[in-house]
Each structure stands twice: as structure tokens, then as C-alpha cells.
Amino acid sequence: MGPLGVVLWTMFGVAVGLGFSWMPGFHVYNVIALLAVTGGAITFIPQEAFPFFVLGALVSFAYSSVISTVYFSVADDTMIFMLFPTQRYLVTGRGHEAVLMTLLGALAGSVILAASMPVMPLILPFLRDILNQFITVFLSALVVFMFMSEWLKMGEREENRLKRFLKAWSQILGGLFVFLASGLLGFVVLNTDLLPTTVAYVRLTPLFLGFFGLPWVLVNLLSGLPVGEQDTSDEVGTDWRGLLSGVFGGALGGYMAAFFPLITGGMGALVAGHITSQRGDDTFMVSQGANRFIYYVGAFLFLFLPAASLTRGSAAWLVSSIYQPKTYQEYVYSIGALLLASGVSFIGTLALSKLVARIVGRWFKQISLAVAALLVAIAWALTGPMGVAVMLVAALIGTTSVFFNTRRSYCLGVLILPVLISMTGYTGVAMKLLGLGV
Amino acid sequence: MRGLTHYLSGLSLATFFKPLVAAVAQGNLAILVPAVYAYLPDFLDFKVWKFFEKWDFHVDPAPQEPGLNRAPMTVKVSSLTPEERYRFYRLEGRASRIEDSGDKLSFTLTDDTGSIRVEALGRDRRDLLSALGGLEEGDAVAVSGYLDYRGEEPVFVAADAPHPMYVAERVAEAIDYAYEHGEARVKVENIRMIGDTYRRFLIDLDGENRTVRVVMGPIIALGGMPLEEEPVPEHRRYAEARTRHRFVKKYPKPTVIGGFSGTSIGFRREGDVVEEVFLPWHREWSHSFTVGAFLAALLYLALAALGSSLAAPLALASMLGYWAHVVEDQLGYMGSNLLWPFTKKRTPGLRLGESGSPLLNFSTALLMSGFIVANLNYAVPRPPIALPYGELLALVSAPSAAMYAYAVAKWLRQRGEAPEEAEEKAVEEVLEEEEEEIGGA
Amino acid sequence: MSAEDRLRVLLEDLYSRGAKPRRKVNLKLLAAVSVILSVAGLAVIVALGQAAQAPLVRISDVYGNFLMNYATVRVRGKVTSIPYVDNSTGRLLIRFPVDDGTGSMLLYIYSPLSAEALRRGLIPLPGDVVDAEVQVRVRETFTYGIVQALSAFRIERVGGEPIPVKTLKPGMAETLVVVEGEAARIREVGSGVLIDLDTGAGTVEVLVPKFISFMDRRLYGELASLQPGARLRVTGVVYLYKGSSPEVVPRRPGDVEVLGAPRVVEATVSQLPGLEGERVRLTVRFAGIEYVKEERGYRLLVVDSTGRAEARVSREVMERVDPFDAFSSPILVEGRVSGGVLVIESAKPLGRWNGSTVPLGEVTAAWKGRIVAVEGEVVSVRSLGSVAVATLRSGGAELRLFMPGSVYSGVKDKLVEGARVKVAGYVDVYKGQVEVVVYTPLGVRQ
């Protein structure tokens, strides 16, 4: 395939990504999966162009998904639930600024990623060989740390000491419940034929839509606070220090998440935020941008590294089952495609953000409902009625995390717990315990 | 230092113990215990001890409405007793006998428990009228404000904040209490209002004049951004209360209470004066070598009783992890109570950099990760990095060594730093520690 | 919402008309309800899951089907080759192919299940039928399955009483046999220890697979260093190596019994003619050494104070005899008398080299066939591909060295022009010229 083909298919991926991934809870993996399941894409895209198509889609996803993060997640009117930095910006009419700041982070992330690709083959294989057999340790270490470092937000005003303690700890216990419950759900879905094994690749989709998409709709519908007028001028309130600190921390977290299987961008960000001692909303948003970009795109780019044999992330697994890039030429193309897609996505997302900023205040509830309907439709299309049932249970668990004021990322127990069980050799025991046969 | 840096240090130290690394191959995750131990001092402080702190004075200038988690709380007229003076509340009732002078609006508010005269001055009058869209005799209204007295007569002053005197009087009282009883702990709650907004206020302790000053600041968003430009009206912006006894405050900046949570202040009598102890529940017993040794001994006994072959290395690694936390914190300003209960006070830190310093955190985390990589490299049957152990250790520590050297050079230059400045940094350090998880979702 | 909007909301909360009841959120209730509903939902999912166990699939339906990536399914098929076990990365792995008639697929067992499988002897052999719950991984070029739980990993072994056999025929493939005999040749190969068992009626190949070493390291080591002549009884499955050469593969350590070391007679050279067919041990010196290409071995004479006798020794055995030691000390040899010739199976000099050498000028045709040690400076070295020659000089005398290419590649860095070296080997006369044949890399020292 020549450079023209690379450009063409990358841009096609970008278009698909921009078109879908601004919707809340709608992951680009789902888009690719949907295209794959409905059969169309796989047949009309040439096999060796497929990695570039996915690369384009992933890049634009890393950019445009910030729109749903910023505009479509508001808590209830009394704000019993703590606001995330992006939400704080939104309710003060600075949603577009938050988008822009995250995009700047993503742009910096793409430059860092492109620049670091040539040195990656020198370091990564060593690290992989050393750390591979200790993945269980790192994964469990991170889970333990997440629970231990939970910032207790409640309980300051209870009348006596024991009540204060219990109230505060209900948050940790709630988090534990969410982790275990989502883990249990994941275990059942992954180890049975509940969702048809013939579409195993998309079995996680209804789960993720349930955990991260639907609770958002639920909370929005509880909400009474209007999202007001948004300022859409392209200005950001930050300084170089905040920007650099954010980019550096974000990139670090992104690499970590990209390199270690199962560790997601959010968890990588938590780790990197600690290591580089970040503070401030602006820094946080910039780092989120860089982090997500490197996490999603970097993980996928490992696939292009000749002889590195690192398949990380759902998209990479899908692509590697269709076509595995093999040459250094493809590797060089991938860096070019990355930069191209990055520039186009930056501009596209900015325009999209302005558009959304204009309509979001007026149509908030309607958009929420429409998205909810869309999520249900996707789950149904991919995995049938049982997928919708599984999605609803996942949504309940996701909502629980909101009510306990605890980290939403505990829902990732859906993957982490089954994998930990499998890696420590307890799958058989757990199956017996749950009465799942064998 | 930040939580993860400590945690990583514990994990890193554990990888120096071959039996613990070997156990991983058998699916045994005991190697995580030292990491947990290394994080434990902060965990004990922030997740446990903080909630069990005994307060002698609980100062809540703006109680929250249960179920709404925001101030002001709606109360009945009859509950406004003299002790409630200056606190921020909300009343609901009917308005009568309305008098409006253009500058001052007053009316009687009556609910099913009684009546009280309400006054709204200047800006508060304007706000009230604009929010209500005018006021007519017999209207049912809700009004926020605080109780005050005109001579003997109780008055409810319409306001969007409590009066600062509430805090000033209680803090002054606490200082005298500490003088008389040796020690006092004060918990000052923050003021949280609707829409995740906060009313910022400052407490300034002026030992020279035996005065506690409190200033009401603007309404802010959680991140600290002010939402209003107009200052708080004169009559309820500022308050001061005098103490009977002498006190000193080494840290010159006022204590700011904003978003997130309130603060806890300790006062301790030293000789003839009362001294301020910042965040008295933090970095005390938990951050001591003695407690680390004790907890490690408990671990050893428990494991030995269970017949674990890893009892000795695990307990040893865990103790080192715990101690590493104490040592790492000692690099900063505030320091810790190193040998509790034998020592009574925190030993000031080395001041190499604030514990939240990105440089110190990053270089330490990098060093610890390097150790982990180096140690695990030799746990693989054919080590992927074919360097002698010593050389590999030197290689992975080099970048961090350079960064430490930079920090030390900076420290040498700044050694003459004024003591107040150091004290200030010490306070900022622990404040930051308290807010460390805020970004993470 | 702008700051002003927000302040307006705030003001409306502070001052409002009427006792407008605010919608209170009872967080406790919401939390409790969400937990209860989650638990109820999970219970339903688990119950549904119990009725939807992993389905049995055909390998052809799974292979290369990327939509089934990560699917947990059951496969059932016949194992087609000996499981491969590897621990080089520190993560113990077992891998073997199964074939269900529609296609073949590799199954992997990873640590810690792999260690448990070895401990419990749950290793299938060719011909066994395996029924396993696996997670499918689909890659562009191949598809494999990862075994999820040992409780969902069943092996239907090739059954019945083992049939005693004395020779193997390809037709016996995938049957259980038992064979007894004397180990004639033992060597380690990639897949395990290969033993030629002399049953009296012929030779039967036994492959002790490498995975046995993970079950019983001591036994495996003992088999790898087994002395020829030891008697073994092996129960195992007949596997066709490369589809045509049958070999017996034991399943677990208990399937290999070492019935005892061979009886060895202590002898002198003069007694050898009376010990036909016996295993003997004796102390000798070597003489008349010459290489016979067709036999890939040496013919030589063994000499002691009672006389001399003809002997044969293979290249592998000879290569392990240090010529320096053999130059100054007698050699303890063990072997079997066959057709009046001593077939040496092991040889070990009794003492270490005392450091003495023969001056170059004194190495003459009279030494032919005997081992010497010499010392000198390397004047020239020439590699001719499969062989190499060098010239040694000392005290005005020169001597030619000859060595096979395999030996030369092992001593290349010592044998360089200008270097002073010590060399040992046996003396030969080639086209009238005396030369020392360095038959082993042990024969060059610095």
C-alpha cells in the first residue's frame, strides 16, 4: 500500500471516529466492533489498510471523546456529588475552554508519542521481558493502592467519632462493593455463554455502556441545575508551568497504561499524578488530554513495532487478528498517519465543541434520553436482549459508585477481577463457587 | 511525599528480598504487604485517625441542611437561642410590619414557633428584594442570615454568610482553654453552599496583640476561583476577639478555609504561652520509627503463628517500608514525631524540598521503579538486561542521583531561609497532603 | 453557566418566596437501594449464567474467527504430539496441539495452572482425548486456546492394560505398551532423553519427555546420565516421531523403572577373551589409535601389564577423554566384550596431567598411535573448512598439528599465530609426515 492509501484510510478512520465518539459512553472500540460485526467494514477495507483505518479512528476518538467528558456529565442540583474539574468548568460556562485545554494536552501527547516511537524498540522489549511474569503483582498493587488512597469526602460533620469514621468508610466499602460486583458480573459474562460466544469480541461492550454510559443519563435526569450559556472563544486560562507539568504527567501515565495490560488511562493518570505531584484543574485537564491520547493511541502503535510483540488494548487485538503490520515501512507510515490524524482531529473536535456548546444548554435532557436509547439499541444489536439485561445490571452497579461518592473506575473490576482470578489460578474454584459448572 | 511514592518505595524495598520475589512465581502476592506498610502512616492519619480526633471545640459557622449537604440549614425562630448568635441559618415564615428606608429593610418574620425582626442592610437588602421580586405584607418568604442583638433585642440579619465573630470568639476561647488545660483541639468547618460553592474565610492569629481576627472572603468554586467581585458588606466582613492569655504563631500567614473540607487546629501550652500546632492529628504517632517497628513485630508474630516461611523477610521488609515513609517525609519541612511516645513533638524536617515537590517525588519514584526493574531482572531465569547487578543498580539510580544533587544544591543556597518562611512551607506541605487525591476520578 | 448565573442560583436559594420545599436527596436511601438492586441483578445474571455454560465448539468454527477472540468455549479433540514445557521466561508454560477432526489448535496452560497440572500429572500424551474449557485467542496467523481451569480440563487417556512388546511397529501408534530391556545408547535431545532399549529381540526407542523433569528432576537427571547397560522397564504410549518412527513415551515418573545397574566384571586385558558378552571394567593405556571414518569412531589397542587387546571407541566417548591427563596417567575404561573386541562405553584418566611434555624433535613415527603432550609456539594456522592444520615450533624443531573443524572452532582463540601453547593428541603419520591429531578441544591449553 502506498502513501496515498495510508492517507486515505487514515482519514476515513478519522471521519468515523469524529462522527461517533463524541457520544457519551460510546467508545471507538464499539464503533469498530459494530462495523466488524455488521460485516461491512472488514470486507471493503483492504486487510493491510485496516490498521491505518483503526489508527485514524483511535486518534480522533482520543480527541473527540473529550466532548462527552466535558459537556455531558453534570451532577445534581445540590452537588452532593463532588464535581470533576471538567464539570466545574462546564457549570461556570467554560466548557469550551476545558475542551481546548484537554485538546492541547492531546496535541502535545501526539507529538511526544511520535517523537518517542523510534526509541521505544530499544526499551520496551527489555521491560516486557522483565515485568511480564510480574504483571499480577503490579495489577493487584494498583488495585490495593486505589482503595488505600481513596480520598474520603464524607463524614466530617457527623456527631460523634464513630459515626464520622463509619460514614467516611462507607465510601471505601462502597468502592469495594462496586469493584467486587462489577468483577463478578465480568466473571460470569466472560466464562459462560450468557452472551453468545460467537460475538465474544464485543461481549464487553454492553458492560462498558452500562458502567459508564447509562449512570450518566440517570444522574442527568435527576438533575435540576441547568447548564447555562457557554463561552466559545478559543482562550485558555493556564500558564506554561501548568501546561508542561500536565503534559509530562499525562504522558507518563499514558505510557504506563499503554504498556501494562489492563491498566487504563484513568489509573495511569492517578499514578502519574502522584509521581509528578500535580495540582490544579488546568494541569489536570491538560494531563488528561495527553494521558488519554498516549494510552489509546500509544497502546495501539506498539502493534506497528516490528518484532516487539506487544499487543495492547482491544483495538490492537482486533487488528492483529486481521492483519499484523510487519515492516519498518509500515512503522514509519504509522508515525506520519498519527500526526496527520492528530492535526485533523484537533481542528474537527474544536469545531464540534463549539457546536455542542451552543446546543447543550437547551437540549440537555433530550440529548440524555436520546443517548440512553442509542446505548440500549447498540447493546441489543451487538449481543441481543441478554446484552441489554447485562447492561442494566452494569448500570445499577455504576450508579452505586455515584451514590457512594467513590471512584467510577472501580467498575473496571469487570476486567481486572476475572483476570486476577485467572492469573492466580482460581478460575476453577470461582466457577464451582458460583455454580457455573465444572 | 505523595502516597504513591511511599507505596512504590515499599514495593521496591520488598524486591530486595529474594524469598518474596520467588513467592510471586507461586501466585503468592505477599510482596504487596511491605508496599501497604509503606503507605500505612498516611493511611492511618487520613483514613482512620482523622475521624477519631477528639475536638474540644467544634466550630461550625454554617450548619448544613441534612439531605442537601449545603448551608444554610432551615430552622425555626424559637431555636435561635443566644448560643446560636452569628451562625448562618435560614428561616421560613410570613412577613409583616415591613419598613423600608431605602438603605435598610426590616420586617417581622413569623413562623409557627414565634416571631423575630429581620433586618437587611445595603447590598443584602438589594439581593433580598431582587431575589424575592419585592416584598408585600403577609408574603410567605424564606430568608437566610444570622442572629444578632440590638441591645437586648434579637435581630435576624439577612446575609449570604455567617458573621465572622462566631469563629473568632470560639478560637479565642480555645486558646485560653489551652492555656488553662494544657491543650485544645479546634475543628473549624467550612461553609458549603448550593451548587458546589464555598464561602472562603481567613483566621489570623495575632499573638502580639492577643487577638484572633476572622475575615469573610468571597464565594468561590471548589478549585478556589472567586465567583463574585463585590466584597462582603462592611458590617459582617471582619471580626476580632481578644484572648486573656499570651500565644504565639510562628507561621505568619492566616489560615484559609475554602473548599474541600474544614481544618483542625491544635493549641498547646509551652511554658507561659500557647503555641499553635498545625493539623495536630497528622504526622504524630503514625509517622514514627517506633510504631513502624511495633506494627512489623505484630506482623511477624501473626505470620509466625500461622507457620509462614515468609514471616521474617516479610516483617523486615514491611518495617523498612514503613521507615522509608518516615524518612522520605523527613526530607520535607514539617517533619514527624520520629520516636513517639518517647518524643513528644515533631522533629522539623531537612527542608530539602516540600513534600509535594514534583522534583523530589519524581526522582524518588523513578529511583524506586529502577530498583524494582533491576531486582526483577535477576529474578527472570535468563536476565533480559545482561549487566552485572552493581552496574545495573548504578545505571538506574543515576538520573535520580542527579536530581537529588540538584535539590541539595538548591537547599545549600536557601539555608539562610527565614524561620517563618520555613514554617509556612511546613504548613503548606501538610495542607497539600490533605488534598492529594482531589484530581483523581 | 456563568459566575453570575451561579450566584443567582445561590441567591434564590438564600432568599425565596414561600416555603419552597427543596428536593432532598437521601443519599443513604439511594445508596442502599442501588446496592440492593445491584445484588438482585447480579443474582439473576449468575442464575442465568448457570444455565449457559461454555459451549462445545468445532475448532474449524473458531480458528481465525476474530469475532470469537476471547471467547470461553469448550474444545474436545485428540492430542497429536508430545506437550512442550518451557520455563525459560520464568513463567512455566505447557503447550500441545489438539485435533477434533475439523481442525487443529494449540492449547496453552500457563502458570500457576501449569505447575499444578504437572504436580497432578495432568499432562496428555499423543492419542489422549482432551476436553477443555479454553479462552480463545485469535491472531492473524494462528489461533490458540488458554486453559482456564484444571477442573474443566479432562484427559481421556489411551486406556487398557499395557501390552508387553519387544519391538515397535508404526501400527502400534497410540496404544499403551510396556517394554523392558537394556539401555544401549542414551542421549539428550530437544524434546527429552532418548534411550535405545535393547530388548533382546531388537531395539525399542524410548523418549522420556522433558516435562518429566518438571515432575521429578532427580529421576530425569538420573536417566540423562544413565550408564549403558542399565536395565529399564518403561510403560508408555507409542508415538510416531515425524509420523513414521515409533517411540515409547512414558506419561509420568512412575512409568520408568530403573531395574538396576548392569553387572560389571573387574578384569585385566589378558582376561578379556574369556569374558565375551560381559560388561567389564579395567585400567589401561591407549595405543595404536586410528580413526575409522566409516565407523565414526576409533580403533585402538588397550594395553596393561598383562597384555594388549583390540578395542573400539566412539567419537563422542573419545572426545571426553582429556589427552593431557591420558598422557601421564592410566585410563579407567568400561565397556562390553563383543566378538572378541572391547567396545569402550566410558573412559576416564585416573590422574591429572603432571605437566610433562615431549620435546617436539622427539615426536617421531615411533610414537604412532600413542598420546603425547607437547609445547611450542604456533607458527602458522590454516583452516581448510572441515579440517585445520597448524605448525608448532620449539627449540628449532617443528611439528604439524591436525584437527577436525569441530575441534578447531573450539580452540580458535587459543591457537593463534605467535601464541605459546600446550597441545596433546595422538600421533599419526600422514604421507610420511609425523603429525599430532588433536581429537578434542580439551587438547589445547594456553
Side-chain angles (χ1 to χ4, degrees):
Chain A
M1 193 174 48
L4 190 68
V6 170
V7 170
L8 196 74
W9 291 110
T10 306
M11 293 312 296
F12 180 57
V14 170
V16 169
L18 280 177
F20 287 94
S21 45
W22 58 273
M23 294 183 213
F26 211 112
H27 202 289
V28 72
Y29 294 164
N30 303 333
V31 181
I32 298 169
L34 207 59
L35 285 175
V37 172
T38 50
I42 308 299
T43 44
F44 88 84
I45 301 176
Q47 277 195 0
E48 71 274 16
F50 199 64
F52 292 98
F53 163 71
V54 174
L55 180 63
L58 269 180
V59 168
S60 63
F61 168 75
Y63 278 88
S64 57
S65 64
V66 64
I67 292 199
S68 77
T69 315
V70 170
Y71 291 108
F72 302 128
S73 52
V74 184
D76 75 318
D77 58 342
T78 54
M79 311 271 172
I80 284 173
F81 318 117
M82 205 58 72
L83 292 184
F84 297 137
T86 48
Q87 296 174 322
R88 290 204 276 275
Y89 271 65
L90 181 67
V91 296
T92 46
R94 296 160 68 194
H96 184 67
E97 185 182 342
V99 168
L100 188 52
M101 233 171 323
T102 314
L103 290 186
L104 285 178
L107 203 59
S110 65
V111 173
I112 292 181
L113 187 60
S116 69
M117 282 313 278
V119 284
M120 286 295 135
L122 304 178
I123 307 167
L124 287 183
F126 285 117
L127 278 184
R128 185 203 55 215
D129 289 348
I130 295 171
L131 302 180
N132 226 354
Q133 54 166 326
F134 296 101
I135 292 291
T136 331
V137 174
F138 292 110
L139 210 54
S140 1
L142 197 62
V143 172
V144 171
F145 182 73
M146 276 174 77
F147 282 110
M148 284 190 85
S149 67
E150 176 90 41
W151 184 58
L152 303 181
K153 307 174 195 80
M154 303 184 289
E156 293 243 326
R157 289 168 191 267
E158 297 298 310
E159 61 220 62
N160 64 45
R161 292 189 268 176
L162 189 65
K163 275 195 176 165
R164 260 150 59 193
F165 177 72
L166 291 179
K167 176 101 189 233
W169 271 66
S170 71
Q171 188 186 330
I172 292 186
L173 296 180
L176 207 56
F177 172 81
V178 169
F179 183 78
L180 293 176
S182 44
L184 177 60
L185 187 60
F187 187 84
V188 174
V189 169
L190 288 175
N191 287 296
T192 64
D193 197 26
L194 192 62
L195 302 187
T197 47
T198 43
V199 289
Y201 173 72
V202 292
R203 271 188 301 177
L204 289 174
T205 301
L207 285 168
F208 277 89
L209 294 181
F211 283 128
F212 300 104
L214 279 187
W216 163 79
V217 177
L218 264 161
V219 172
N220 280 352
L221 295 180
L222 278 175
S223 159
L225 189 77
V227 175
E229 289 286 300
Q230 299 289 320
D231 179 4
T232 53
S233 62
D234 294 334
E235 281 170 24
V236 292
T238 181
D239 52 18
W240 281 109
R241 218 185 132 87
L243 213 59
L244 284 179
S245 155
V247 167
F248 180 68
L252 192 66
Y255 277 119
M256 232 175 276
F259 178 74
F260 284 106
L262 288 175
I263 290 179
T264 61
M267 291 153 95
L270 168 75
V271 170
H274 265 253
I275 289 176
T276 57
S277 204
Q278 283 176 4
R279 308 205 178 280
D281 283 353
D282 50 344
T283 309
F284 177 77
M285 278 183 274
V286 172
S287 87
Q288 277 291 304
N291 177 311
R292 291 164 59 88
F293 188 89
I294 294 185
Y295 166 50
Y296 284 118
V297 183
F300 181 70
L301 273 186
F302 290 154
L303 190 71
F304 283 91
L305 281 184
S309 92
L310 275 170
T311 311
R312 294 283 185 265
S314 189
W317 277 102
L318 174 68
V319 172
S320 74
S321 68
I322 291 167
Y323 177 75
Q324 163 84 45
K326 297 166 187 72
T327 65
Y328 276 94
Q329 191 190 31
E330 283 166 318
Y331 173 61
V332 173
Y333 278 161
S334 75
I335 299 176
L338 160 79
L339 290 172
L340 171 74
S342 208
V344 175
S345 304
F346 181 82
I347 297 165
T349 307
L350 216 52
L352 209 54
S353 167
K354 287 190 180 177
L355 187 72
V356 175
R358 279 193 203 107
I359 60 166
V360 69
R362 233 169 299 154
W363 304 98
F364 204 65
K365 283 213 164 143
Q366 289 84 338
I367 296 178
S368 303
L369 281 171
V371 167
L374 187 66
L375 297 186
V376 172
I378 293 166
W380 188 294
L382 289 179
T383 49
M386 195 57 86
V388 177
V390 166
M391 177 169 84
L392 288 180
V393 176
L396 282 172
I397 297 171
T399 313
T400 308
S401 79
V402 177
F403 292 149
F404 277 93
N405 241 326
T406 191
R407 290 190 171 113
R408 197 71 71 82
S409 40
Y410 289 135
C411 292
L412 289 170
V414 67
L415 268 181
I416 295 177
L417 196 64
V419 169
L420 277 183
I421 290 176
S422 160
M423 280 176 161
T424 46
Y426 288 106
T427 302
V429 177
M431 303 261 298
K432 205 164 269 174
L433 224 59
L434 292 171
L436 298 177
V438 294
Chain B
M1 265 177 236
R2 302 293 295 269
L4 191 89
T5 313
H6 295 308
Y7 190 74
L8 210 53
S9 307
L11 190 61
S12 167
L13 287 172
T15 59
F16 282 94
F17 290 80
K18 288 217 171 77
L20 299 183
V21 176
V24 172
Q26 271 97 56
N28 182 334
L29 296 177
I31 197 163
L32 295 183
V33 176
V36 169
Y37 261 63
Y39 187 61
L40 212 48
D42 279 348
F43 184 83
L44 290 172
D45 278 358
F46 287 104
K47 321 291 192 241
V48 182
W49 189 238
K50 179 182 174 184
F51 300 100
F52 285 103
E53 190 192 21
K54 193 178 159 297
W55 303 323
D56 302 301
F57 293 85
H58 184 198
V59 185
D60 187 357
Q64 292 183 357
E65 182 79 49
L68 290 178
N69 287 8
R70 63 101 174 93
M73 184 166 131
T74 304
V75 294
K76 296 293 183 189
V77 171
S78 63
S79 66
L80 292 176
T81 57
E83 303 84 69
E84 300 294 339
R85 191 177 184 180
Y86 301 132
R87 281 181 113 181
F88 192 40
Y89 285 118
R90 187 168 179 271
L91 293 177
E92 287 174 357
R94 291 203 177 271
S96 57
R97 293 175 49 214
I98 302 166
E99 290 167 26
D100 189 357
S101 70
D103 187 42
K104 174 178 161 187
L105 169 77
S106 69
F107 60 91
T108 301
L109 188 130
T110 309
D111 70 5
D112 50 1
T113 67
S115 305
I116 191 166
R117 198 68 192 157
V118 177
E119 283 181 4
L121 306 166
R123 186 188 136 191
D124 294 323
R125 171 189 167 275
R126 190 195 67 206
D127 287 349
L128 187 147
L129 287 176
S130 85
L132 294 182
L135 184 63
E136 301 286 328
E137 202 71 20
D139 282 352
V141 292
V143 181
S144 304
Y146 56 85
L147 172 70
D148 203 348
Y149 290 89
R150 300 277 177 261
E152 292 289 303
E153 195 209 344
V155 182
F156 191 74
V157 183
D160 54 6
H163 195 284
M165 187 58 90
Y166 183 79
V167 178
E169 279 179 348
R170 269 148 199 84
V171 172
E173 201 186 324
I175 292 174
D176 289 334
Y177 179 92
Y179 187 87
E180 282 143 27
H181 296 83
E183 209 179 306
R185 293 260 176 118
V186 187
K187 166 76 178 190
V188 183
E189 299 287 5
N190 63 349
I191 304 170
R192 182 175 198 259
M193 299 205 279
I194 197 166
D196 205 32
T197 55
Y198 299 81
R199 169 70 69 182
R200 179 155 72 199
F201 61 101
L202 318 173
I203 305 172
D204 182 27
L205 301 177
D206 179 357
E208 251 170 71
N209 297 306
R210 292 196 195 175
T211 300
V212 177
R213 293 195 187 84
V214 177
V215 184
M216 273 297 146
I219 295 200
I220 57 169
L222 187 57
M225 183 178 54
L227 295 174
E228 58 179 5
E229 281 154 23
E230 230 175 323
V232 176
E234 191 77 40
H235 65 279
R236 54 185 180 84
R237 187 190 306 159
Y238 175 82
E240 56 179 49
R242 287 185 48 88
T243 61
R244 291 191 302 280
H245 301 286
R246 256 167 26 89
F247 66 92
V248 291
K249 179 187 168 69
K250 284 184 245 152
Y251 167 55
K253 272 198 191 167
T255 305
V256 180
I257 289 123
F260 299 120
S261 67
T263 191
S264 152
I265 311 173
F267 294 106
R268 191 187 288 142
R269 181 176 168 174
E270 297 285 337
D272 202 33
V273 296
V274 173
E275 273 185 11
E276 186 198 19
V277 185
F278 210 83
L279 281 194
W281 47 267
H282 184 34
R283 294 218 190 159
E284 288 289 348
W285 60 272
S286 60
H287 284 57
S288 66
F289 293 114
T290 31
V291 169
F294 174 73
L295 291 177
L298 280 188
L299 179 68
Y300 176 80
L301 291 176
L303 289 174
L306 291 173
S308 165
S309 60
L310 295 176
L314 204 56
L316 192 59
S318 301
M319 185 174 74
L320 292 177
Y322 200 103
W323 286 5
H325 185 129
V326 178
V327 171
E328 283 161 2
D329 275 354
Q330 205 61 24
L331 297 180
Y333 280 76
M334 176 155 273
S336 305
N337 191 349
L338 298 179
L339 294 171
W340 182 92
F342 307 108
T343 48
K344 303 285 177 214
K345 285 169 110 180
R346 292 189 273 227
T347 307
L350 293 174
R351 303 179 183 179
L352 207 55
E354 282 162 62
S355 71
S357 141
L359 180 77
L360 271 189
N361 268 284
F362 181 66
S363 50
T364 308
L366 189 67
L367 181 69
M368 294 302 161
S369 312
F371 285 160
I372 292 178
V373 168
N375 286 332
L376 295 188
N377 181 44
Y378 294 98
V380 180
R382 260 181 252 139
I385 302 179
L387 277 181
Y389 184 59
E391 276 176 42
L392 186 55
L393 273 193
L395 186 73
V396 297
S397 357
S400 302
M403 284 184 254
Y404 282 133
Y406 174 75
V408 170
K410 218 168 118 187
W411 172 71
L412 286 173
R413 271 207 317 275
Q414 290 176 348
R415 238 177 357 167
E417 203 168 67
E420 302 89 60
E421 227 169 296
E423 180 83 4
E424 187 178 323
K425 285 197 175 152
V427 172
E428 271 162 20
E429 183 173 298
V430 283
L431 276 180
E432 283 190 351
E433 270 189 26
E434 215 191 347
E435 293 178 2
E436 80 172 9
E437 301 311 326
I438 286 156
Chain C
M1 190 167 63
S2 64
E4 294 98 78
D5 289 337
R6 238 171 139 190
L7 287 173
R8 206 186 57 239
V9 170
L10 180 68
L11 272 186
E12 279 163 6
D13 185 48
L14 297 179
Y15 311 112
S16 62
R17 198 158 269 288
K20 188 170 82 184
R22 291 218 143 253
R23 188 178 56 202
K24 295 193 178 183
V25 179
N26 187 337
L27 211 52
K28 249 183 211 159
L29 183 71
L30 282 178
V33 168
S34 64
V35 167
I36 292 167
L37 287 179
S38 301
V39 170
L42 274 176
V44 172
I45 295 290
V46 170
L48 291 171
Q50 286 171 348
Q53 292 176 13
L56 181 68
V57 296
R58 289 189 307 192
I59 289 175
S60 62
D61 288 344
V62 177
Y63 208 96
N65 177 356
F66 69 84
L67 281 178
M68 290 194 75
N69 209 351
Y70 289 103
T72 304
V73 295
R74 255 177 63 218
V75 292
R76 189 184 156 83
K78 201 182 255 186
V79 175
T80 51
S81 79
I82 299 169
Y84 168 83
V85 182
D86 179 55
N87 194 30
S88 64
T89 62
R91 202 171 165 211
L92 188 65
L93 157 105
I94 305 170
R95 183 182 74 199
F96 52 88
V98 291
D99 190 322
D100 70 350
T102 69
S104 170
M105 174 161 112
L106 280 175
L107 298 191
Y108 284 70
I109 308 178
Y110 280 113
S111 159
L113 286 190
S114 49
E116 179 66 19
L118 284 165
R119 209 163 25 245
R120 297 191 354 211
L122 268 178
I123 309 296
L125 284 185
D128 290 353
V129 171
V130 158
D131 186 324
E133 198 160 301
V134 299
Q135 193 183 69
V136 179
R137 295 292 168 91
V138 182
R139 308 302 301 266
E140 181 197 353
T141 45
F142 74 110
T143 297
Y144 59 98
I146 299 172
V147 172
Q148 294 298 294
L150 291 185
S151 51
F153 178 69
R154 277 177 288 270
I155 302 175
E156 290 156 32
R157 300 180 190 283
V158 171
E161 275 297 297
I163 307 157
V165 293
K166 293 212 178 285
T167 54
L168 290 183
K169 287 185 263 320
M172 293 175 175
E174 295 175 6
T175 52
L176 191 65
V177 298
V178 58
V179 59
E180 193 176 325
E182 199 169 277
R185 196 158 157 242
I186 300 107
R187 60 213 179 276
E188 258 199 280
V189 293
S191 52
V193 177
L194 203 55
I195 302 171
D196 292 352
L197 217 53
D198 186 348
T199 60
T203 302
V204 168
E205 279 214 335
V206 171
L207 176 72
V208 181
K210 203 151 213 172
F211 67 73
I212 297 276
S213 75
F214 291 91
M215 297 170 158
D216 188 338
R217 186 165 298 279
R218 199 195 49 78
L219 173 79
Y220 189 83
E222 187 189 331
L223 292 174
S225 57
L226 201 65
Q227 286 300 316
R231 285 198 73 77
L232 297 179
R233 180 164 50 225
V234 179
T235 311
V237 174
V238 179
Y239 167 63
L240 294 185
Y241 176 64
K242 292 198 165 157
S244 58
S245 352
E247 52 192 33
V248 177
V249 184
R251 204 182 272 287
R252 58 178 80 83
D255 289 350
V256 184
E257 284 173 84
V258 181
L259 299 173
R263 196 178 74 91
V264 183
V265 181
E266 300 287 343
T268 59
V269 171
S270 62
Q271 294 165 337
L272 290 179
L275 291 170
E276 180 65 32
E278 294 284 343
R279 292 187 63 76
V280 295
R281 183 186 297 133
L282 60 168
T283 306
V284 297
R285 282 180 183 277
F286 288 171
I289 305 171
E290 82 187 287
Y291 185 63
V292 184
K293 207 171 178 182
E294 300 73 43
E295 295 175 11
R296 276 184 55 84
Y298 299 86
R299 290 188 181 179
L300 66 158
L301 295 171
V302 288
V303 185
D304 70 0
S305 54
T306 64
R308 52 179 54 204
E310 239 182 273
R312 305 264 189 284
V313 62
S314 71
R315 251 173 74 163
E316 288 83 24
V317 173
M318 189 68 175
E319 242 173 27
R320 290 201 287 268
V321 179
D322 186 318
F324 288 102
D325 296 347
F327 171 61
S328 60
S329 307
I331 305 164
L332 182 70
V333 298
E334 214 177 288
R336 189 205 303 257
V337 184
S338 172
V341 176
L342 174 66
V343 180
I344 298 172
E345 286 164 349
S346 79
K348 193 172 167 42
L350 284 172
R352 315 290 297 194
W353 183 40
N354 59 13
S356 63
T357 53
V358 178
L360 293 190
E362 293 177 20
V363 181
T364 59
W367 280 85
K368 184 170 188 278
R370 285 164 63 191
I371 290 176
V372 293
V374 295
E375 190 173 357
E377 184 189 334
V378 182
V379 182
S380 69
V381 187
R382 219 150 32 96
S383 170
L384 310 168
S386 63
V387 298
V389 290
T391 309
L392 216 54
R393 180 193 293 154
S394 173
E398 285 194 353
L399 183 65
R400 206 166 94 109
L401 305 180
F402 174 88
M403 64 209 90
S406 62
V407 171
Y408 176 64
S409 62
V411 302
K412 219 166 18 199
D413 44 339
K414 284 182 261 185
L415 205 67
V416 288
E417 284 176 21
R420 218 178 151 73
V421 292
K422 301 170 182 103
V423 176
Y426 67 88
V427 178
D428 200 0
V429 180
Y430 180 74
K431 290 186 178 165
Q433 194 184 353
V434 176
E435 62 184 20
V436 170
V437 180
V438 187
Y439 64 85
T440 164
L442 299 172
V444 180
R445 297 188 184 181
Q446 253 154 354

